[in-house]
Amino acid sequence: MKRQENLKVLNTVLVFVFIACFGYQANAQAAIFAALFGDKVASKKFNISMEIGVPLTNVGNIDGNKPNIGVNFGIAGNLKINDTWSVSPTAYFLSKRSFDMESFSLNSPDVYLNNIYTDVPTTISMNYIQMPIFVYYNIPNSNLRLGLAPQMSFKQNVDATFSADIGDFEQSVGIHANNIDYGLVANVSYYLKYKRNGKGLYVSLRYGQGFTDVFKDSFIDGNNKSHYFSFNISLPFITDELAQKNLGDQPNN
């Protein structure tokens, strides 16, 4: 029985890794995988979860910049080590970040456009595949857990939208951004264990700090590392047995 459970966990992890590797085309596939197979692969020590986040992202050392709200969507594999510790490799196949600059200039082969869009308000939008690997500490006798994760973010595309009186102009600037953003993420979560018929959900606050320059000096000079605050929701797919136990633990039952 234990061997069958281990094989089930291994097969699920392999599927998860496969989806993560091809994340650039897997937004819908991830949601379908979680919805259809989440309950079926759940065991006492392993489950998957659907992950949704709303980050407020900014990049340091850029004059006059303001953070914008983005969105994260993906799945996580959750492996219970013991009652205190767990590991959760996560893949956000959709990870949108954005910030505004008060003044920036278009640099294109078209001199006429460059003159129009010189020192104008500009929005930078960045799309990544974001992959943190969380180590969680579950605080005994509480619904709180603390987490820390190294994170790698793989650039997909980066766009700049320049605003002027005649209208907006969008330019792809991905060649001016570095391909990988390394960082560290801190997390604090609260488990609402009685929600979703006992399957529960986690609500989390996170802070992420990048360690590498987001942009090349040819585009934006200086040390421009990303950082963000994020509100996250995690929807775990757990066994019916554990869900019933959660419901049975409710006060006044």
Side-chain angles (χ1 to χ4, degrees), residues 55-61 65 72 97 128 130-132 134 147-153 180-187 205-214 223-230:
L56 189 65
T57 305
N58 207 346
V59 177
N61 295 328
N65 64 330
N72 290 334
R97 312 178 193 177
Y128 288 88
Q130 187 170 292
M131 300 185 70
F134 281 99
L148 196 64
Q151 176 173 274
M152 295 180 66
S153 300
I180 300 177
D181 184 16
Y182 301 93
L184 195 66
V185 184
N187 176 95
L205 291 177
R206 292 178 179 174
Y207 175 75
Q209 176 63 58
F211 296 152
T212 57
D213 285 357
V214 176
N223 192 347
N224 39 76
K225 299 176 182 178
S226 67
H227 55 272
Y228 66 87
F229 288 95
S230 179

Side-chain angles (χ1 to χ4, degrees), residues 155-193:
K155 179 193 72 179
Q156 298 303 293
N157 55 72
V158 182
D159 297 310
T161 302
F162 302 86
S163 299
D165 292 339
I166 67 169
D168 294 345
F169 181 83
E170 184 174 299
Q171 181 187 41
S172 175
V173 294
I175 60 172
H176 301 297
N178 291 311
N179 290 329
I180 300 177
D181 184 16
Y182 301 93
L184 195 66
V185 184
N187 176 95
V188 57
S189 300
Y190 186 81
Y191 185 37
L192 301 171
K193 63 191 296 185

